[in-house]
Coordinates of all heavy atoms in Angstrom, one line a residue:
F318 N -0.6 7.4 -13.3 CA -0.6 6.0 -13.1 C -0.7 5.7 -11.6 O -0.5 6.6 -10.8 CB 0.7 5.3 -13.6 CG 1.9 5.6 -12.9 CD1 2.3 4.7 -11.9 CD2 2.6 6.7 -13.1 CE1 3.5 5.0 -11.2 CE2 3.8 7.0 -12.5 CZ 4.2 6.2 -11.5
H319 N -1.2 4.5 -11.2 CA -1.3 4.2 -9.9 C -0.7 2.8 -9.7 O -0.7 1.9 -10.6 CB -2.7 4.1 -9.4 CG -3.3 5.5 -9.3 ND1 -3.7 6.2 -10.3 CD2 -3.5 6.2 -8.2 CE1 -4.1 7.4 -9.9 NE2 -4.0 7.4 -8.6
V320 N -0.1 2.5 -8.6 CA 0.6 1.3 -8.3 C -0.2 0.4 -7.4 O -0.7 0.9 -6.4 CB 2.0 1.6 -7.7 CG1 2.8 0.3 -7.4 CG2 2.8 2.5 -8.7
T321 N -0.3 -0.9 -7.7 CA -0.8 -1.8 -6.8 C 0.2 -2.9 -6.5 O 1.1 -3.1 -7.2 CB -2.1 -2.5 -7.3 OG1 -1.8 -3.2 -8.4 CG2 -3.2 -1.5 -7.6
G322 N 0.1 -3.4 -5.3 CA 1.1 -4.5 -5.0 C 1.5 -4.5 -3.5 O 1.5 -3.4 -2.9
V323 N 1.8 -5.6 -3.0 CA 2.3 -5.8 -1.7 C 3.4 -6.8 -1.7 O 3.3 -7.9 -2.3 CB 1.2 -6.3 -0.7 CG1 1.8 -6.6 0.6 CG2 0.1 -5.2 -0.6
Q324 N 4.5 -6.5 -1.2 CA 5.7 -7.3 -1.1 C 5.7 -8.1 0.2 O 4.9 -7.8 1.1 CB 7.0 -6.6 -1.4 CG 7.0 -5.9 -2.7 CD 6.9 -6.9 -3.9 OE1 7.5 -7.9 -3.9 NE2 6.2 -6.5 -4.9
T325 N 6.7 -8.8 0.5 CA 6.8 -9.5 1.8 C 7.8 -9.0 2.8 O 8.0 -9.6 3.8 CB 7.1 -11.0 1.5 OG1 8.4 -11.1 0.8 CG2 6.1 -11.7 0.7
C326 N 8.3 -7.8 2.5 CA 9.1 -7.1 3.6 C 8.9 -5.6 3.4 O 8.4 -5.1 2.4 CB 10.6 -7.5 3.4 SG 11.4 -6.8 1.9
A327 N 9.3 -4.9 4.5 CA 8.9 -3.5 4.6 C 9.7 -2.6 3.6 O 9.3 -1.6 3.2 CB 9.1 -3.0 6.0
L328 N 10.9 -3.0 3.3 CA 11.8 -2.2 2.4 C 11.1 -1.9 1.0 O 11.0 -0.7 0.6 CB 13.1 -2.8 2.1 CG 14.1 -2.0 1.3 CD1 14.4 -0.7 1.9 CD2 15.4 -2.7 1.1
P329 N 10.5 -2.8 0.3 CA 10.0 -2.5 -1.0 C 8.8 -1.4 -0.9 O 8.8 -0.5 -1.8 CB 9.5 -3.8 -1.5 CG 10.3 -4.8 -0.9 CD 10.6 -4.3 0.5
I330 N 8.0 -1.5 0.0 CA 6.9 -0.5 0.1 C 7.4 0.9 0.5 O 7.0 1.8 -0.1 CB 5.7 -1.0 1.0 CG1 4.5 -0.1 0.8 CG2 6.1 -1.0 2.5 CD1 3.2 -0.6 1.4
Y331 N 8.3 0.9 1.4 CA 8.9 2.2 1.7 C 9.6 2.8 0.5 O 9.5 4.0 0.2 CB 9.9 2.0 2.9 CG 10.5 3.4 3.2 CD1 9.8 4.3 4.0 CD2 11.8 3.6 2.8 CE1 10.4 5.5 4.2 CE2 12.4 4.8 3.1 CZ 11.7 5.8 3.8 OH 12.3 7.0 4.1
Y332 N 10.3 1.9 -0.2 CA 11.0 2.4 -1.4 C 10.0 2.9 -2.5 O 10.2 3.9 -3.1 CB 11.9 1.3 -2.0 CG 12.6 1.6 -3.3 CD1 13.8 2.4 -3.2 CD2 12.1 1.2 -4.5 CE1 14.4 2.8 -4.4 CE2 12.8 1.6 -5.6 CZ 14.0 2.4 -5.5 OH 14.6 2.7 -6.7
L333 N 8.9 2.1 -2.6 CA 7.9 2.5 -3.6 C 7.3 3.8 -3.2 O 7.1 4.8 -4.1 CB 6.9 1.4 -3.7 CG 5.8 1.6 -4.7 CD1 6.3 1.7 -6.1 CD2 4.8 0.5 -4.6
V334 N 7.0 4.1 -1.9 CA 6.5 5.3 -1.4 C 7.4 6.4 -1.7 O 7.0 7.5 -2.2 CB 6.0 5.3 0.0 CG1 5.8 6.6 0.6 CG2 4.9 4.3 0.2
S335 N 8.7 6.2 -1.6 CA 9.7 7.3 -1.8 C 9.8 7.7 -3.2 O 10.2 8.7 -3.6 CB 11.0 6.9 -1.2 OG 11.7 5.9 -2.0
K336 N 9.5 6.7 -4.1 CA 9.6 7.0 -5.6 C 8.3 7.5 -6.2 O 8.4 8.4 -7.0 CB 9.9 5.7 -6.3 CG 11.3 5.2 -6.0 CD 12.4 6.2 -6.4 CE 13.7 5.8 -6.0 NZ 14.7 6.8 -6.2
V337 N 7.1 7.1 -5.8 CA 5.9 7.5 -6.5 C 5.0 8.3 -5.5 O 4.0 8.9 -6.0 CB 5.1 6.4 -7.1 CG1 6.0 5.7 -8.2 CG2 4.6 5.4 -6.1
G338 N 5.2 8.2 -4.2 CA 4.3 8.9 -3.3 C 3.2 8.0 -2.8 O 2.8 7.1 -3.6
P339 N 2.7 8.2 -1.6 CA 1.7 7.3 -1.0 C 0.3 7.4 -1.7 O -0.5 6.5 -1.7 CB 1.6 7.7 0.4 CG 2.1 9.1 0.4 CD 3.2 9.2 -0.6
S340 N 0.1 8.5 -2.4 CA -1.2 8.7 -3.0 C -1.4 7.9 -4.3 O -2.5 7.9 -4.9 CB -1.4 10.2 -3.3 OG -0.5 10.6 -4.4
R341 N -0.3 7.2 -4.7 CA -0.4 6.4 -6.0 C -0.3 4.9 -5.7 O -0.1 4.1 -6.6 CB 0.7 6.8 -7.0 CG 0.5 8.3 -7.4 CD 1.3 8.5 -8.7 NE 1.1 9.8 -9.2 CZ 0.0 10.1 -10.1 NH1 -0.8 9.1 -10.4 NH2 -0.1 11.3 -10.6
I342 N -0.5 4.5 -4.4 CA -0.4 3.1 -4.1 C -1.7 2.6 -3.5 O -2.3 3.3 -2.6 CB 0.7 2.9 -3.1 CG1 2.1 3.4 -3.6 CG2 0.8 1.4 -2.7 CD1 3.2 3.4 -2.6
V343 N -2.2 1.5 -4.0 CA -3.4 1.0 -3.5 C -3.1 -0.5 -3.0 O -2.5 -1.2 -3.8 CB -4.5 1.0 -4.6 CG1 -5.7 0.2 -4.1 CG2 -4.8 2.3 -5.1
C344 N -3.6 -0.8 -1.8 CA -3.3 -2.2 -1.3 C -4.4 -3.1 -1.9 O -5.5 -2.7 -2.0 CB -3.5 -2.1 0.2 SG -3.1 -3.7 1.0
G345 N -3.9 -4.3 -2.2 CA -4.8 -5.3 -2.8 C -4.1 -6.7 -2.4 O -3.2 -6.8 -1.6
S346 N -4.8 -7.7 -2.8 CA -4.3 -9.0 -2.6 C -4.5 -9.9 -3.8 O -5.2 -9.7 -4.7 CB -4.9 -9.7 -1.3 OG -6.2 -10.2 -1.7
D347 N -3.7 -11.0 -3.8 CA -3.8 -12.1 -4.8 C -4.3 -13.3 -4.1 O -3.9 -14.4 -4.4 CB -2.5 -12.4 -5.5 CG -2.0 -11.2 -6.4 OD1 -2.9 -10.5 -6.9 OD2 -0.8 -11.0 -6.5
Y348 N -5.1 -13.1 -3.1 CA -5.6 -14.3 -2.3 C -6.1 -15.4 -3.2 O -6.7 -15.1 -4.2 CB -6.7 -13.8 -1.4 CG -7.2 -14.9 -0.5 CD1 -6.5 -15.2 0.7 CD2 -8.3 -15.6 -0.8 CE1 -6.9 -16.2 1.5 CE2 -8.8 -16.7 0.0 CZ -8.1 -16.9 1.2 OH -8.5 -18.0 2.0
P349 N -5.7 -16.6 -3.0 CA -5.1 -17.2 -1.8 C -3.6 -17.3 -1.9 O -3.0 -18.0 -1.0 CB -5.8 -18.6 -1.7 CG -5.9 -18.9 -3.2 CD -6.2 -17.6 -3.9
V350 N -2.9 -16.7 -2.8 CA -1.5 -16.7 -2.9 C -0.9 -15.4 -2.5 O -1.7 -14.4 -2.4 CB -0.9 -17.1 -4.3 CG1 -1.5 -18.4 -4.7 CG2 -1.4 -16.1 -5.3
G351 N 0.4 -15.3 -2.2 CA 1.0 -14.0 -1.9 C 0.9 -13.7 -0.4 O 0.8 -14.6 0.4
E352 N 0.9 -12.5 -0.1 CA 0.9 -12.0 1.3 C -0.3 -12.5 2.0 O -1.4 -12.2 1.5 CB 1.0 -10.5 1.3 CG 1.0 -9.8 2.7 CD 2.1 -10.3 3.6 OE1 3.3 -10.3 3.1 OE2 1.8 -10.5 4.8
E353 N -0.2 -13.1 3.1 CA -1.3 -13.7 3.9 C -2.2 -12.5 4.5 O -3.4 -12.7 4.6 CB -0.8 -14.6 5.0 CG -1.9 -15.3 5.7 CD -1.3 -16.4 6.6 OE1 -0.6 -17.2 6.2 OE2 -1.6 -16.2 7.8
D354 N -1.5 -11.4 4.9 CA -2.2 -10.4 5.6 C -1.8 -9.0 5.0 O -0.9 -8.4 5.6 CB -1.9 -10.5 7.1 CG -2.6 -9.4 7.9 OD1 -3.5 -8.7 7.4 OD2 -2.2 -9.2 9.1
P355 N -2.3 -8.7 3.8 CA -1.8 -7.4 3.2 C -2.0 -6.2 4.0 O -1.2 -5.3 4.1 CB -2.5 -7.4 1.9 CG -3.6 -8.3 1.9 CD -3.3 -9.3 3.0
A356 N -3.2 -6.1 4.7 CA -3.4 -4.9 5.6 C -2.5 -4.8 6.7 O -1.9 -3.8 7.1 CB -4.8 -4.9 6.1
G357 N -2.2 -6.0 7.3 CA -1.2 -6.1 8.4 C 0.2 -5.7 7.9 O 0.9 -5.0 8.7
Y358 N 0.5 -6.1 6.8 CA 1.8 -5.8 6.2 C 2.0 -4.3 6.1 O 3.0 -3.8 6.5 CB 1.9 -6.5 4.8 CG 3.1 -5.9 4.0 CD1 4.4 -6.3 4.2 CD2 2.8 -5.0 3.0 CE1 5.4 -5.8 3.4 CE2 3.9 -4.4 2.2 CZ 5.1 -4.9 2.5 OH 6.2 -4.4 1.7
V359 N 1.0 -3.6 5.5 CA 1.1 -2.1 5.4 C 1.1 -1.5 6.9 O 1.9 -0.6 7.1 CB -0.1 -1.6 4.7 CG1 -0.1 -0.1 4.6 CG2 -0.1 -2.1 3.2
M360 N 0.3 -2.0 7.8 CA 0.3 -1.4 9.1 C 1.6 -1.7 9.8 O 2.1 -0.8 10.6 CB -0.8 -2.1 10.0 CG -2.2 -1.7 9.5 SD -2.5 0.1 9.4 CE -2.3 0.6 11.1
R361 N 2.3 -2.7 9.5 CA 3.6 -3.0 10.2 C 4.8 -2.3 9.5 O 5.9 -2.2 10.0 CB 3.9 -4.5 10.2 CG 3.0 -5.3 11.1 CD 3.5 -6.7 11.2 NE 3.5 -7.4 9.9 CZ 2.4 -8.0 9.4 NH1 1.2 -8.0 10.0 NH2 2.5 -8.6 8.2
A362 N 4.6 -1.7 8.3 CA 5.7 -1.1 7.5 C 6.2 0.1 8.3 O 5.5 1.0 8.7 CB 5.1 -0.7 6.1
R363 N 7.5 0.2 8.4 CA 8.2 1.3 9.0 C 8.4 2.4 8.1 O 8.5 2.2 6.8 CB 9.5 0.8 9.6 CG 9.3 -0.2 10.7 CD 10.6 -0.6 11.3 NE 10.4 -1.5 12.4 CZ 11.2 -2.4 12.7 NH1 12.3 -2.6 12.2 NH2 10.9 -3.2 13.8
G364 N 8.4 3.6 8.5 CA 8.7 4.8 7.7 C 7.5 5.3 7.0 O 7.6 6.3 6.2
L365 N 6.3 4.8 7.3 CA 5.1 5.4 6.7 C 4.3 6.0 7.8 O 4.1 5.5 8.9 CB 4.2 4.3 6.1 CG 4.8 3.5 5.0 CD1 3.9 2.4 4.5 CD2 5.2 4.4 3.8
S366 N 3.7 7.2 7.5 CA 2.9 7.9 8.5 C 1.5 7.2 8.6 O 1.1 6.4 7.7 CB 2.6 9.3 8.2 OG 1.8 9.4 7.0
S367 N 0.8 7.5 9.7 CA -0.6 7.0 9.8 C -1.4 7.3 8.6 O -2.3 6.6 8.1 CB -1.2 7.4 11.1 OG -0.5 6.9 12.2
A368 N -1.3 8.6 8.1 CA -2.0 9.1 7.0 C -1.6 8.3 5.7 O -2.5 8.0 4.9 CB -1.8 10.6 6.8
D369 N -0.4 8.0 5.5 CA 0.1 7.2 4.4 C -0.5 5.8 4.4 O -1.1 5.4 3.4 CB 1.6 7.1 4.4 CG 2.4 8.3 4.1 OD1 1.7 9.3 3.7 OD2 3.6 8.3 4.4
K370 N -0.5 5.2 5.6 CA -1.1 3.9 5.7 C -2.6 3.9 5.4 O -3.1 3.0 4.7 CB -0.8 3.3 7.1 CG 0.6 3.0 7.3 CD 0.9 2.6 8.7 CE 2.4 2.4 9.0 NZ 2.8 2.0 10.3
A371 N -3.3 4.9 6.0 CA -4.7 5.0 5.7 C -5.1 5.2 4.2 O -6.0 4.6 3.7 CB -5.3 6.2 6.5
A372 N -4.2 6.0 3.5 CA -4.4 6.2 2.1 C -4.2 4.9 1.3 O -5.0 4.6 0.5 CB -3.4 7.3 1.6
I373 N -3.1 4.2 1.7 CA -2.7 3.0 0.9 C -3.8 1.9 1.2 O -4.2 1.1 0.3 CB -1.4 2.5 1.4 CG1 -0.3 3.5 0.8 CG2 -1.1 1.1 0.9 CD1 1.1 3.3 1.4
L374 N -4.3 1.8 2.4 CA -5.3 0.8 2.8 C -6.7 1.0 2.3 O -7.5 0.2 2.5 CB -5.2 0.5 4.3 CG -3.9 -0.1 4.8 CD1 -3.9 -0.2 6.3 CD2 -3.8 -1.5 4.2
G375 N -7.1 2.2 1.8 CA -8.4 2.4 1.4 C -8.7 3.7 0.9 O -9.6 3.9 0.0
G376 N -8.1 4.7 1.4 CA -8.3 6.1 1.0 C -8.1 6.3 -0.5 O -8.9 7.0 -1.1
N377 N -7.0 5.8 -1.0 CA -6.7 6.0 -2.4 C -7.7 5.3 -3.3 O -8.1 5.9 -4.3 CB -5.3 5.5 -2.7 CG -4.2 6.3 -2.1 OD1 -4.4 7.5 -1.7 ND2 -3.0 5.8 -1.8
A378 N -8.1 4.1 -2.9 CA -9.1 3.4 -3.7 C -10.4 4.1 -3.7 O -11.1 4.3 -4.7 CB -9.3 1.9 -3.1
A379 N -10.8 4.6 -2.6 CA -12.1 5.4 -2.5 C -12.0 6.6 -3.4 O -13.0 6.9 -4.1 CB -12.3 5.7 -1.0
R380 N -10.9 7.3 -3.3 CA -10.7 8.5 -4.1 C -10.9 8.1 -5.6 O -11.5 8.8 -6.4 CB -9.4 9.2 -3.8 CG -9.1 10.5 -4.6 CD -7.9 11.2 -4.2 NE -6.7 10.3 -3.9 CZ -6.0 9.7 -4.9 NH1 -6.2 10.0 -6.1 NH2 -4.9 8.9 -4.6
L381 N -10.1 7.1 -6.0 CA -10.1 6.7 -7.4 C -11.5 6.3 -7.9 O -11.9 6.5 -9.1 CB -9.2 5.5 -7.6 CG -7.7 5.9 -7.6 CD1 -6.9 4.6 -7.5 CD2 -7.3 6.7 -8.8
L382 N -12.3 5.7 -7.0 CA -13.6 5.2 -7.4 C -14.7 6.3 -7.1 O -15.9 6.1 -7.4 CB -14.0 4.0 -6.6 CG -13.1 2.8 -6.9 CD1 -13.3 1.6 -5.9 CD2 -13.3 2.3 -8.3
G383 N -14.3 7.5 -6.6 CA -15.3 8.5 -6.4 C -16.2 8.3 -5.2 O -17.3 8.8 -5.1
L384 N -15.7 7.5 -4.2 CA -16.5 7.2 -3.0 C -16.0 8.0 -1.9 O -14.9 8.4 -1.7 CB -16.2 5.7 -2.6 CG -16.6 4.7 -3.7 CD1 -16.2 3.3 -3.3 CD2 -18.0 4.7 -4.1
S385 N -17.0 8.3 -1.0 CA -16.6 9.1 0.3 C -16.6 8.0 1.3 O -17.4 7.1 1.5 CB -17.6 10.1 0.6 OG -18.9 9.6 0.8
I386 N -15.6 8.2 2.2 CA -15.4 7.3 3.4 C -15.3 8.0 4.6 O -15.1 9.2 4.7 CB -14.3 6.3 3.2 CG1 -13.0 7.1 3.0 CG2 -14.4 5.4 2.1 CD1 -11.7 6.2 3.1

């Protein structure tokens, strides 16, 4: 399974990463509602490595879709 979702504070994403791992999380949005800047939210999250952030922000989606980036 893969998890999608962005919350409004850093604790939930860090907790989610600790439970399922960064390779199972894909950043998305419910624009125009929800988090105003989902990519910025992930970039500001503490406790995630640069590689984790890159995976969540696009690497995982590319892998799931069979795309090279």
Side-chain angles (χ1 to χ4, degrees):
F318 71 95
H319 288 79
V320 177
T321 62
V323 171
Q324 302 296 323
T325 57
C326 70
L328 181 59
I330 194 169
Y331 178 76
Y332 179 78
L333 186 59
V334 168
S335 74
K336 293 300 179 189
V337 302
S340 67
R341 297 202 173 273
I342 303 170
V343 176
C344 184
S346 79
D347 291 330
Y348 184 82
V350 298
E352 177 63 41
E353 186 174 303
D354 181 15
Y358 165 79
V359 173
M360 292 305 297
R361 291 186 302 274
R363 294 183 178 151
L365 299 179
S366 69
S367 294
D369 292 346
K370 292 175 183 181
I373 292 167
L374 289 174
N377 293 336
R380 181 176 42 80
L381 288 169
L382 296 171
L384 303 173
S385 60
I386 54 173

